[in-house]
């Protein structure tokens, strides 16, 4: 049997890279995301200016961020403090960090260099969603954040 027989054709070892619209803030994440999801909570609607946010969540990944992102901290519905990182020049949201969970790094799907790598499997806070904003066809939907 050849070595190719043992390889997983669906595994993509390339890092996930992306950044802001003007190129001042860039990131690279080596590893596979734990989850790719759409979130329809009101907070994500307001921040995105549309009906939802789309995210890739990584845990214990090797992350490199270049450039100086500005950060806006907010407390989420479940009491978790989130740092929303964005470019201070063009305003593009790039990633989220959590002071109490430094092992978690979340990127905005729209900031990916290859947005086609985003394949959502979950939609959160579907109870806040709007009829005009259909997200993640075929994804498992949760009315709120699952326990």
């Amino acid at each position: 049997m050849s070595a190719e027989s043992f390889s997983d054709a669906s595994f993509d070892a390339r890092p996930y890279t992306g950044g802001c619209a003007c190129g001042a803030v860039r990131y690279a994440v080596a590893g596979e995301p734990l989850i790719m999801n759409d979130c329809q909570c009101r907070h994500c609607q307001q921040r995105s200016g549309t009906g939802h946010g789309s995210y890739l969540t990584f845990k214990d990944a090797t992350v490199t961020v270049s450039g100086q992102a500005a950060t806006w901290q907010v407390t989420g519905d479940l009491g978790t403090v989130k740092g929303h990182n964005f470019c201070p020049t063009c305003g593009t949201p790039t990633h989220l960090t959590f002071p109490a969970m430094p092992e978690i790094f979340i990127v905005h799907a729209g900031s990916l260099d290859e947005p086609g790598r985003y394949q959502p499997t979950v939609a959160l806070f579907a109870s806040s969603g709007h009829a005009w904003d259909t997200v993640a066809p075929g994804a498992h939907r949760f009315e709120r954040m699952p326990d």
Side-chain angles (χ1 to χ4, degrees), residues 32-74:
E32 286 300 309
L34 286 175
I35 191 168
M36 298 187 200
N37 71 282
D38 289 334
C39 182
Q40 294 181 291
C41 78
R42 188 67 183 129
H43 178 78
C44 285
Q45 292 173 12
Q46 290 171 324
R47 269 189 331 95
S48 70
T50 187
H52 68 280
S54 298
Y55 308 101
L56 295 85
T57 300
F58 298 87
K59 181 179 181 190
D60 296 324
T62 301
V63 176
T64 304
V65 177
S66 60
Q68 188 62 45
T71 303
W72 171 57
Q73 288 196 337
V74 65

Side-chain angles (χ1 to χ4, degrees), residues 56-132:
L56 295 85
T57 300
F58 298 87
K59 181 179 181 190
D60 296 324
T62 301
V63 176
T64 304
V65 177
S66 60
Q68 188 62 45
T71 303
W72 171 57
Q73 288 196 337
V74 65
T75 302
D77 289 350
L78 301 177
T80 304
V81 176
K82 299 182 269 187
H84 294 281
N85 296 268
F86 59 95
C87 177
T89 302
C90 67
T92 302
T94 54
H95 61 282
L96 288 87
T97 54
F98 299 82
M101 297 179 286
E103 71 279 10
I104 302 294
F105 188 81
I106 299 176
V107 301
H108 289 265
S111 70
L112 288 168
D113 290 337
E114 297 178 71
R117 292 181 76 186
Y118 176 67
Q119 301 293 316
T121 59
V122 174
L124 304 174
F125 290 95
S127 61
S128 302
H130 303 287
W132 50 263

